[in-house]
Amino acid sequence: ARTLLFSAYFARCVVLTRVITDDESAAFDIFDALNTTGEPLTALETLKPRVIQFEKGHGGYAGSPSEMSFDRLNVLIDEANPKTIDKQNETKALIVSYGLYLEGFKLPENLASQRNFLRTRYDKAAAKSRENSHRFIRQLADMAQFRHLYWSPEGIEKLGAYHDASRLDEVQLLASFLMATKSYLVLPILARYWHPNLKQSGDARFLEVLRAVTAFLVLRRA
């Protein structure tokens, strides 16, 4: 009886449509991929299968640096933004920052452009070497972590894990000031001088740049 009911539902309510395009980019433009929430997949969500496919052909995805970077992205983007709209907005802002960091130009926030940017740049990196493909995803995760730490009140409270106590108050003050100005162009500049083990390797250079960027922004705004 269950099989008959399921078969009847399947035959009456399910429609399969096959869409054929000349290339993959056109497919993404024509068919806006949806996830189980009914919201468009973010550029990160459409990039991940491509990364998994590449890694499977070069030693396996499980345990790879790419998997570890995506685990970090999952914590920083998905878990930190339980609401779908917040996740969408943070992902778009992250990719804009990453585009500025990587190539120095501002991407639009529409999904097609962001998907195409990540897809083409990742393929370019992967074509050079597996190490370059790992670096591409790692830098993306680093940018997400940097945004979380220096561009949110919750993150700024955690900066003691990355800076010496003697400099912490100054770093938190400057980061809070920059965040309040909403000057997003400072993010890719500062991110070039930041890395997760900043406290162990020394943060003097990063603090120097943070002071310089803040001083320039104050003069420019004044």
Side-chain angles (χ1 to χ4, degrees), residues 5 8 17 20 41 60 78 98 101 114 119 153 161 166 187:
L5 288 171
T17 303
I20 301 175
L41 292 171
D78 296 351
Y98 189 54
Y101 170 88
Q114 294 199 341
R119 186 169 64 252
S166 62
L187 287 169

Side-chain angles (χ1 to χ4, degrees), residues 77-96:
I77 302 295
D78 296 351
E79 295 182 13
N81 300 279
K83 294 183 179 179
T84 301
I85 186 64
D86 293 336
K87 183 177 77 169
Q88 292 273 1
N89 290 337
E90 177 57 26
T91 302
K92 290 177 181 178
L94 166 62
I95 296 171
V96 170

Side-chain angles (χ1 to χ4, degrees), residues 20-214:
I20 301 175
T21 61
D22 294 332
D23 56 60
E24 191 178 64
S25 298
F28 277 108
D29 291 336
I30 294 170
F31 181 76
D32 198 19
L34 300 177
N35 59 22
T36 53
T37 66
E39 296 292 334
L41 292 171
T42 66
L44 289 178
E45 289 170 327
T46 56
L47 174 67
K48 188 174 181 179
R50 203 176 195 90
V51 175
I52 293 174
Q53 182 181 20
F54 173 80
E55 291 292 349
K56 283 185 176 179
H58 296 77
Y61 177 73
S64 68
S66 293
E67 184 188 38
M68 290 186 283
S69 295
F70 266 108
D71 286 345
R72 278 204 290 155
L73 285 168
N74 179 63
V75 172
L76 295 164
I77 302 295
D78 296 351
E79 295 182 13
N81 300 279
K83 294 183 179 179
T84 301
I85 186 64
D86 293 336
K87 183 177 77 169
Q88 292 273 1
N89 290 337
E90 177 57 26
T91 302
K92 290 177 181 178
L94 166 62
I95 296 171
V96 170
S97 295
Y98 189 54
L100 287 165
Y101 170 88
L102 199 63
E103 298 189 359
F105 69 88
K106 185 178 180 181
L107 283 165
E109 291 194 358
N110 69 77
L111 286 174
S113 297
Q114 294 199 341
R115 288 170 179 166
N116 182 64
F117 172 79
L118 288 184
R119 186 169 64 252
T120 55
R121 299 315 188 274
Y122 176 77
D123 287 349
K124 184 178 179 181
K128 292 181 179 179
S129 68
R130 191 183 186 194
E131 181 181 348
N132 278 344
S133 73
H134 293 161
R135 184 183 299 114
F136 183 91
I137 306 300
R138 185 183 71 247
Q139 289 175 337
L140 184 57
D142 286 348
M143 177 60 77
Q145 188 171 355
F146 182 81
R147 285 180 55 85
H148 172 72
L149 290 169
Y150 293 83
W151 211 250
S152 70
E154 300 82 7
I156 291 173
E157 291 295 324
K158 304 174 185 176
L159 290 180
Y162 300 89
H163 297 279
D164 187 83
S166 62
R167 293 191 272 262
L168 181 59
D169 286 346
E170 182 182 2
V171 171
Q172 289 178 322
L173 173 64
L174 297 180
S176 298
F177 171 79
L178 292 176
M179 181 184 66
T181 65
K182 301 186 184 300
S183 299
Y184 298 100
L185 287 175
V186 306
L187 287 169
I189 299 172
L190 294 171
R192 285 191 170 274
Y193 297 88
W194 184 88
H195 45 85
N197 62 336
L198 190 67
K199 190 170 186 177
Q200 290 73 26
S201 60
D203 64 347
R205 179 63 172 163
F206 176 81
L207 181 56
E208 181 183 347
V209 176
L210 180 62
R211 288 168 176 165
V213 169
T214 306

